[in-house]
């Protein structure tokens, strides 16, 4: 049955009945009804099957009061709500009446209420779910064991302990109980997958991943190549072990033999590969250390802007920090420099020369290096020579006329240098001239209707990116352009090689200079893995059916190759049944990461998880988490956007969630559920708001003001996010700041409010954060003494919307707010510039995009309306 989709155009259409809908079809309340407020039940660790049921049908009279009752047959709470007869009384019965009126603005005019009469304040809340999870787990220890339960949310501050299963820092599964039968898995419409962040950093109080020598480790499976892990089961007193990944036995060499006791080797506690889900092997072979290569744009248009002078000063400052007295190891880093316009200028930095030599390559079609020596020199030996060259670049005599050069030119030259040195490394490109336009147009509407996706890079860029992946060359581009980049986007190669693109308006302002300084320092000092290969093993009864993330697809679906990988990057993998699973053994999944670190050490990191299996569909739903499901859907849809139409992806998302809710309603609920009740799994009750936010994101649903450059950048950044960042991106934090004059406490993240305009009080200030934006919203009725404490002015009219830097004032509100901003900025992958948004200002549209529970500027439906569609369509599927 086809499921009607919402958000099929930029403007939200008026409500229309679905074709074939019977007047007797149970529906949610008409526009004259709204449900009253309710309370979620208090949960404990034993109540894993909690189900939220909200009554969605009503009559004009005779409503029973809201009740919370226990259903013995389902072993769960059912929260049944009755609607209020009149919507005109909703503001007084459901939401407190306010005594002020909001000024005219994009945000204030956006309607929060559903056109179907649902009050969003009474729907499942992400803020409430996060708060409940913090109460349950914050400050505690979660033990990750074989076939363990659902871990705490990624936003909860707790300690994760590895006792045979890789912790949720490294692997989060869409469900921790896979269905035994393939037919049952298809019926649930829950994807069976894992989000893996191989190099994730442990939190405070957690131990680092143990490292062991290659010769000291017990060898893994001799048939499939899987590494030793607790998933292997020992037989014949330890003489051989069973591999769940290939269903074969492997003999143990006599040199590493140890007897077993109750199925475990006696040396289990001494060897991490036998007792832990995560460990690392240090290989004996030592490779080439990573290098740092700098490429600076010195074209005529770039020199006229004066940007190269600021760039060279910041590079000199960064090199001095790398060569400091406490950086003796990093001073061994080999560094190279080149400049470019339509030509390539290489510099021989050998300390044996009296002065550096510059070599100019004019034939860039068939790029060949004139020399190989002196292009990469240890920093300790060439720092003064390098600084001298950088100081003279501002005096560089550019070409007499501007000549357009390919954006791939510095990448090709840098790749040649790394290939000649047989070394991996980072290539930092500082581009100041306008990015040349191709046949693409700046307006995204043309691309949206085109048969070819705008997210597909040119063939030349993909080919060059593959060469960078093979060499381990990570490309990072800093763009300093006064004009919008538009369709000629230089980010295809950087994001496919583990790098990125950071754009600046200009380096003339102090705030932009500070942002560039922080971004450059983060890029240079970021510890990365080079020449990465990630192999995936899964139990013989299953197979890998999909890989999603920021990488180039490999013909071998079980192996992913990347030029570089940092600790923030996560990938998604999807699994499918080959045959029925063994309910006693469960499902084993292993990720093997082979890489070379910046010092040239070859390492192999192994992460293994063992999941339970069940014949009960309810167990699969109870063992799922909404934020992990959101991250999986995000990576999958953003990866499929390279080839599939965006409309079909949005429809697929809605269909999958509708089928999932219909399955849960049909197979996991009691017969006493009336047709008008909305039934949601306890741990997935906020999936609708997450999925709706994903569906109406600018990547999948572009607005009239969405530029191609902006959408390309958003997709490339979000597709590599881990679970915590993705959850914050699609449901931002809105933190009210205290307006009390004597409050010295820093605002807590637990005080977050819902992402809707009704949460914004004109008498308060709010800090809005997601990994790619940081806003400070100021209401028009904020008391003058509060404005004075934070902005050093007591008049709302004196404030100006835009990027700001808060003044340093010695009062509790200023100190706590600046500390909170620094804390949020430190957790972001790029430097976030604080943006002030005044109530009633046109800049409020940037805030409106983050209020994901409301209707979005690009025509996306509100949370309440989308939930209405899901409910009605799920009912149709169960009839």
């Amino acid at each position: 049955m086809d499921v009607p989709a919402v958000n099929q155009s930029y403007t939200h259409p008026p409500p229309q009945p679905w074709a074939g809908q019977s007047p007797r079809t149970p529906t949610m309340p008409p526009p004259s009804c709204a449900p009253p407020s309710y309370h979620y039940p208090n949960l404990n660790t034993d109540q894993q099957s909690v189900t939220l049921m909200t009554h969605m049908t009503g009559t004009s009279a005779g409503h029973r009061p809201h009740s919370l009752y226990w259903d013995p047959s389902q072993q769960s709470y059912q929260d049944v709500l009755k609607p209020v007869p009149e919507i005109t009384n909703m503001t007084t019965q459901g939401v407190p009446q306010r005594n002020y009126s909001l000024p005219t603005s994009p945000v204030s005019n956006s309607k929060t209420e559903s056109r179907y009469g649902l009050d969003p304040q009474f729907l499942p809340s992400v803020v409430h779910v996060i708060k409940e999870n913090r109460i349950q787990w914050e400050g505690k220890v979660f033990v990750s064991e074989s076939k363990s339960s659902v871990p705490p949310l990624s936003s909860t501050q707790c300690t994760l302990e590895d006792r045979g299963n890789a912790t949720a820092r490294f692997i989060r599964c869409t469900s921790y109980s896979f269905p035994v039968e393939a037919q049952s898995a298809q019926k649930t419409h829950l994807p069976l997958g894992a989000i893996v962040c191989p190099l994730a950093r442990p939190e405070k109080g957690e131990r680092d991943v143990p490292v062991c020598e290659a010769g000291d480790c017990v060898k893994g499976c001799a048939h499939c190549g899987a590494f030793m892990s607790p998933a292997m089961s020992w037989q014949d007193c330890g003489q051989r072990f069973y591999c769940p990944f290939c269903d074969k036995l492997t003999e143990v060499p006599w040199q590493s033999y140890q007897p077993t006791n109750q199925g475990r080797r006696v040396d289990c506690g001494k060897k991490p590969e036998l007792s832990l889900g995560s460990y690392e092997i240090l290989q004996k072979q030592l490779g080439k250390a990573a290098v740092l290569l700098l490429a600076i744009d010195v074209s005529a248009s770039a020199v006229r802007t004066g940007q190269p002078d600021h760039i060279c000063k910041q590079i000199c400052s960064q090199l001095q920090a790398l060569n400091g007295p406490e950086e003796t190891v990093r001073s061994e880093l080999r560094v190279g420099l080149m400049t470019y316009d339509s030509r390539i200028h290489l510099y021989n930095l050998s300390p044996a020369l009296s002065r550096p030599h510059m070599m100019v390559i004019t034939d860039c079609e068939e790029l060949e290096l004139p020399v190989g020596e002196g292009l990469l020199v240890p920093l300790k030996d060439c720092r003064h020579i390098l600084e001298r060259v950088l100081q003279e670049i501002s005096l560089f005599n550019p070409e007499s006329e501007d000549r357009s050069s390919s954006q791939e030119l510095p990448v090709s030259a840098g790749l040649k240098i790394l290939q000649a040195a047989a070394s991996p490394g980072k290539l930092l490109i500082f581009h100041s001239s306008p990015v040349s336009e191709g046949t693409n147009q700046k307006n995204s509407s043309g691309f949206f209707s085109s048969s070819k996706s705008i997210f597909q890079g040119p063939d030349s860029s993909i080919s060059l990116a593959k060469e960078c992946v093979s060499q381990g060359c990570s490309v990072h581009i800093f763009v300093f352009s006064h004009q919008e980049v538009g369709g000629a986007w230089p980010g295809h190669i950087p994001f496919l090689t583990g790098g990125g693109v950071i754009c600046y308006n200009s380096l003339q302002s102090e705030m932009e200079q500070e942002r560039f300084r922080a971004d450059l320092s983060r890029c240079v000092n970021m510890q990365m893995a080079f020449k990465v290969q990630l192999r995936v093993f899964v139990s013989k009864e299953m197979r890998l059916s999909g890989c999603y993330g920021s990488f180039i697809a490999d013909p071998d679906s079980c192996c992913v190759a990347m030029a570089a990988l940092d600790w923030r990057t996560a990938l998604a993998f999807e699994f499918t049944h080959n045959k029925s699973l063994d309910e006693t053994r469960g499902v084993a999944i292993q990720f093997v990461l082979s890489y070379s670190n910046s010092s040239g050490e070859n390492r192999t990191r192994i992460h293994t998880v063992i999941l339970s299996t069940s014949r009960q569909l309810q167990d699969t739903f109870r063992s799922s988490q909404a934020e992990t499901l959101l991250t999986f859907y995000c990576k999958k849809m953003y990866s499929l956007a390279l080839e599939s139409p965006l409309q079909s992806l949005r429809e697929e998302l809605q269909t999958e969630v509708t089928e999932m809710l219909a399955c849960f309603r049909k197979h996991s609920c009691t017969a006493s559920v009336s047709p008008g009740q909305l039934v949601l799994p306890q741990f997935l009750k906020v999936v609708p708001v997450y999925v709706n936010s994903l569906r109406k994101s600018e990547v999948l649903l572009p607005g009239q003001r969405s530029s191609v450059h902006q959408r390309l950048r958003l997709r490339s950044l979000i597709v590599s996010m881990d679970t915590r960042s993705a959850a914050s991106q699609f449901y931002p934090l809105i933190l009210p700041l205290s307006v009390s004059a004597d409050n010295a406490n820093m605002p807590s993240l637990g005080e977050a409010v819902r992402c809707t305009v009704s949460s914004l009080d004109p008498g308060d200030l709010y800090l809005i954060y997601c990994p790619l934006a940081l806003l400070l919203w100021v209401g028009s009725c904020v008391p003058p003494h509060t404005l004075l404490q934070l902005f050093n002015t007591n008049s709302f009219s004196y404030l100006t919307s835009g990027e700001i830097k808060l003044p340093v004032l010695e009062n509790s509100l200023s100190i706590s707010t600046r500390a909170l901003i620094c804390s949020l900025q430190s957790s972001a992958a790029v430097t976030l510039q604080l943006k002030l948004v005044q109530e009633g200002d046109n800049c409020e549209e940037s805030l409106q995009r983050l209020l994901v529970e409301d209707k979005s500027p690009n025509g996306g439906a509100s949370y309440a309306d989308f939930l209405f569609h899901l409910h009605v369509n799920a009912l149709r599927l169960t009839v």
Side-chain angles (χ1 to χ4, degrees):
M1 177 181 297
D2 295 333
V3 180
V6 296
N7 300 345
Q8 295 187 358
S9 62
Y10 293 127
T11 58
H12 205 70
Q16 297 291 339
W18 287 280
Q21 182 177 359
S22 171
R24 296 184 181 181
T25 301
T27 61
M28 297 168 70
S32 62
C33 298
S37 60
Y38 63 91
H39 303 281
Y40 293 108
N42 295 323
L43 309 180
N44 54 49
T45 55
D46 298 328
Q47 296 168 351
Q48 298 293 332
S49 60
V50 174
T51 307
L52 179 69
M53 297 188 179
T54 307
H55 197 73
M56 291 297 182
T57 60
T59 57
S60 59
H63 294 288
R64 292 168 55 189
H66 163 260
S67 61
L68 181 67
Y69 66 92
W70 173 260
D71 183 355
S73 60
Q74 192 181 344
Q75 295 295 304
S76 66
Y77 281 108
Q78 298 183 3
D79 203 3
V80 181
L81 309 179
K82 300 295 181 180
V84 177
E86 297 294 335
I87 194 172
T88 54
N89 296 329
M90 182 182 60
T91 55
T92 58
Q93 296 181 12
V95 180
Q97 185 72 37
R98 295 186 177 182
N99 298 323
Y100 47 78
S101 60
L102 297 178
T104 302
S105 68
V107 172
S108 303
N109 288 338
S110 62
K111 296 182 179 180
T112 304
E113 293 78 10
S114 167
R115 56 184 179 177
Y116 304 107
L118 297 178
D119 192 329
Q121 296 297 327
F122 305 141
L123 302 180
S125 166
V126 174
V127 174
H128 188 83
V129 169
I130 293 176
K131 183 178 181 180
E132 278 187 338
N133 195 262
R134 281 193 177 134
I135 294 174
Q136 182 180 359
W137 285 109
E138 190 163 25
K140 300 179 182 179
V141 177
F142 178 83
V143 177
S144 183
E145 299 177 307
S146 175
K147 302 181 181 179
S148 60
S149 59
V150 181
L153 295 178
S154 58
S155 57
T156 301
Q157 298 294 328
C158 67
T159 302
L160 303 180
E161 184 177 340
D162 181 354
R163 291 189 186 175
N165 251 21
T167 69
R169 302 270 181 247
F170 304 108
I171 300 175
R172 283 185 176 270
C173 298
T174 55
S175 178
Y176 286 81
S177 179
F178 280 17
V180 172
E181 303 291 340
Q183 185 178 4
S184 299
Q186 296 174 358
K187 188 181 299 182
T188 63
H189 286 271
L190 274 174
L192 304 180
I195 309 297
V196 56
C197 191
L199 298 177
R201 292 179 179 176
E203 296 290 338
K204 184 178 179 181
E206 299 175 356
R207 60 182 176 183
D208 294 329
V209 175
V211 180
C212 54
E213 298 287 342
D216 299 334
C217 291
V218 181
K219 303 300 180 183
C221 181
H223 303 282
C224 65
F227 281 70
M228 179 55 61
S229 71
M232 308 294 186
S233 56
W234 297 94
Q235 298 183 5
D236 298 334
C237 297
Q239 297 184 34
R240 59 185 57 86
F241 61 86
Y242 168 80
C243 175
F245 306 109
C246 63
D247 198 28
K248 295 181 180 179
L249 294 175
T250 297
E251 297 287 339
V252 179
W254 65 269
Q255 297 91 339
S256 59
Y257 169 77
Q258 289 289 336
T260 58
N261 182 17
Q262 296 182 353
R264 302 183 66 183
R265 284 181 37 140
V266 294
D267 61 344
C268 180
K270 300 179 181 179
K271 291 184 175 294
E273 68 270 22
L274 300 176
S275 59
L276 299 180
S278 299
Y279 67 98
E280 196 165 81
I281 300 176
L282 178 61
Q283 306 294 339
K284 295 181 179 179
Q285 301 85 1
L286 187 64
K288 290 289 188 72
V291 304
L292 178 64
L293 189 56
L294 310 172
I296 304 175
D297 180 10
V298 292
S299 61
S301 57
V303 173
R304 283 196 298 267
T305 64
Q307 310 285 13
D309 185 35
H310 295 288
I311 294 170
C312 292
K313 289 180 180 179
Q314 293 300 331
I315 293 177
C316 288
S317 175
Q318 189 60 42
L319 294 177
Q320 291 176 1
L322 288 176
N323 199 42
E326 298 180 358
E327 299 288 348
T328 55
V329 176
R330 302 185 64 179
S331 63
E332 299 288 341
L333 174 70
R334 288 182 297 166
V335 181
L337 175 67
M338 65 177 173
T339 54
Y340 67 95
D341 38 30
S342 63
R343 307 162 298 180
I344 292 293
H345 318 112
L346 302 178
Y347 298 87
N348 189 333
L349 304 176
S350 175
L353 300 176
S354 59
R355 56 181 301 175
H357 292 179
M358 184 178 75
M359 296 154 284
V360 181
I361 303 177
T362 56
D363 185 10
C364 297
E365 295 295 331
E366 298 293 335
L367 192 61
E368 294 294 337
L369 298 179
V371 296
E373 298 294 331
L375 298 181
L376 294 171
V377 181
L379 180 59
K380 64 178 183 179
D381 299 330
C382 70
R383 184 172 68 87
H384 297 291
I385 300 174
L386 189 58
E387 289 178 353
R388 179 180 175 183
V389 176
L390 291 172
Q391 290 172 0
E392 295 178 356
I393 284 181
S394 59
L395 306 176
F396 195 86
N397 186 20
E399 293 178 306
S400 57
E401 60 182 29
D402 287 335
R403 297 181 183 179
S404 60
S405 60
S406 171
Q407 305 301 323
E408 302 169 359
L409 180 60
V411 179
S412 300
L415 181 60
K416 289 289 184 180
I417 295 176
L418 294 181
Q419 288 174 341
S423 300
K426 298 178 184 177
L427 172 59
L428 274 58
I429 301 175
F430 305 91
H431 192 86
S432 302
S433 58
V435 180
S436 58
E437 290 279 317
T439 58
N440 298 336
Q441 303 295 325
K442 289 185 178 182
N443 197 326
S444 64
S445 58
F447 289 97
F448 185 60
S449 59
S450 174
S451 58
K452 182 179 180 180
S453 172
I454 64 169
F455 304 111
Q456 290 181 350
D459 294 338
S460 59
S461 298
I462 302 300
S463 177
L464 189 55
K466 290 181 178 179
E467 293 186 56
C468 292
V469 170
S470 177
Q471 185 57 39
C473 174
S474 178
V475 181
H476 305 256
I477 298 183
F478 298 83
V479 179
F480 311 90
S481 178
H482 291 282
Q483 66 179 30
E484 185 179 345
V485 175
W489 192 59
H492 293 292
I493 295 177
F495 283 110
L496 289 175
T497 59
V501 174
I502 305 178
C503 299
Y504 307 86
N505 296 325
S506 172
L507 290 183
Q508 303 299 326
S509 67
E510 182 180 350
M511 285 188 294
E512 287 290 80
Q513 291 180 18
E514 290 183 1
R515 188 163 73 94
F516 172 56
R517 185 184 305 114
D519 288 332
L520 179 60
S521 176
R522 181 184 289 106
C523 181
V524 171
N525 294 286
M526 174 74 73
Q527 293 296 318
M528 303 188 73
F530 298 94
K531 291 189 174 181
V532 173
Q533 281 196 338
L534 181 62
R535 289 173 290 166
V536 185
F537 299 90
V538 65
S539 294
K540 183 70 174 178
E541 297 84 0
M542 303 198 75
R543 70 179 187 274
L544 182 65
S545 58
C547 308
Y548 313 108
S550 185
F551 56 87
I552 302 175
D554 193 276
D556 183 7
S557 60
C558 294
C559 182
V560 175
M562 292 174 284
L565 183 70
D566 61 28
W567 66 274
R568 297 177 182 272
T569 303
L571 302 91
F573 298 89
E574 188 172 11
F575 306 100
T576 307
H577 284 73
N578 283 329
K579 58 181 181 179
S580 298
L581 299 174
D582 189 333
E583 197 168 358
T584 58
R585 288 178 176 171
V587 176
I589 306 173
Q590 186 177 88
F591 297 94
V592 178
L593 182 76
S594 302
Y595 69 97
S596 171
N597 65 8
S598 57
S599 302
E601 295 177 341
N602 293 318
R603 296 180 174 231
T604 303
R605 177 171 288 198
I606 298 95
H607 298 296
T608 308
V609 291
I610 306 171
L611 308 176
S612 62
T613 58
S614 176
R615 297 185 181 275
Q616 303 297 325
L617 295 183
Q618 195 174 30
D619 294 335
T620 302
F621 284 107
R622 289 175 179 176
S623 303
S624 302
Q625 262 184 347
E627 62 173 12
T628 308
L629 203 59
L630 164 70
T631 309
F632 177 86
Y633 279 139
C634 170
K635 293 183 183 297
K636 182 176 181 178
M637 295 300 140
Y638 280 16
S639 297
L640 295 179
L642 295 174
E643 300 176 353
S644 303
L646 303 184
Q647 175 69 19
S648 65
L649 295 181
R650 296 196 303 272
E651 292 176 353
E652 180 181 347
L653 270 174
Q654 180 179 350
T655 302
E656 286 295 307
V657 178
T658 304
E659 297 274 7
M660 178 193 72
L661 296 181
C663 174
F664 182 81
R665 184 185 193 91
K666 187 174 182 180
H667 300 282
S668 301
C669 296
T670 62
S672 60
V673 177
S674 65
Q677 289 177 333
L678 171 65
V679 183
L680 298 173
Q682 170 63 23
F683 292 112
L684 299 179
K685 60 187 177 184
V686 294
V687 162
V689 66
Y690 276 147
V691 170
N692 186 47
S693 179
L694 173 60
R695 291 180 71 257
K696 64 182 182 179
S697 62
E698 290 188 73
V699 176
L700 298 183
L701 185 66
Q704 295 180 350
R705 298 187 183 182
S706 300
S707 67
V708 172
H709 176 189
Q710 183 182 18
R711 295 177 61 209
L712 289 168
R713 177 176 176 271
L714 284 175
R715 178 200 168 273
S716 300
L717 288 171
I718 297 174
V719 77
S720 63
M721 286 182 177
D722 59 9
T723 303
R724 182 173 185 176
S725 299
S728 299
Q729 178 65 31
F730 290 102
Y731 199 92
L733 284 170
I734 301 184
L735 308 172
L737 302 180
S738 173
V739 297
S740 175
D742 56 352
N743 185 12
N745 297 323
M746 186 175 74
S748 170
L749 297 185
E751 301 172 0
V753 297
R754 302 181 68 153
C755 293
T756 173
V757 64
S758 60
S759 300
L760 304 181
D761 188 335
D764 291 336
L765 304 100
Y766 296 86
L767 199 61
I768 299 95
Y769 165 81
C770 72
L772 301 180
L774 183 61
L775 308 179
L776 178 58
W777 187 81
V778 183
S780 58
C781 301
V782 175
H785 74 270
T786 301
L787 298 177
L788 188 64
Q789 290 182 25
L790 197 57
F791 304 104
N792 204 23
T793 179
N794 58 4
S795 175
F796 177 82
S797 59
Y798 288 167
L799 300 177
T800 303
S801 296
E803 294 185 350
I804 65 165
K805 182 178 180 181
L806 292 180
V808 180
L809 303 175
E810 296 300 326
N811 61 74
S812 59
L813 180 60
S814 177
I815 294 173
S816 61
T817 302
R818 285 184 285 109
L820 178 58
I821 291 174
C822 290
S823 175
L824 294 174
Q825 288 176 331
S826 63
S827 62
V830 296
T831 303
L832 298 178
Q833 185 62 47
L834 180 64
K835 183 177 181 181
L836 178 67
V837 178
Q838 290 177 273
E839 183 182 13
D841 193 271
N842 292 331
C843 292
E844 274 195 313
E845 186 173 339
S846 60
L847 169 62
Q848 190 179 0
R849 298 191 188 100
L850 303 181
L851 300 177
V852 296
E853 292 196 23
D854 299 336
K855 297 177 182 178
S856 59
N858 58 358
S862 66
Y863 168 33
D865 289 347
F866 180 68
L867 190 59
F868 173 87
H869 282 255
L870 294 181
H871 173 69
V872 174
N873 290 328
L875 283 177
R876 296 175 61 190
L877 293 176
T878 55
V879 173

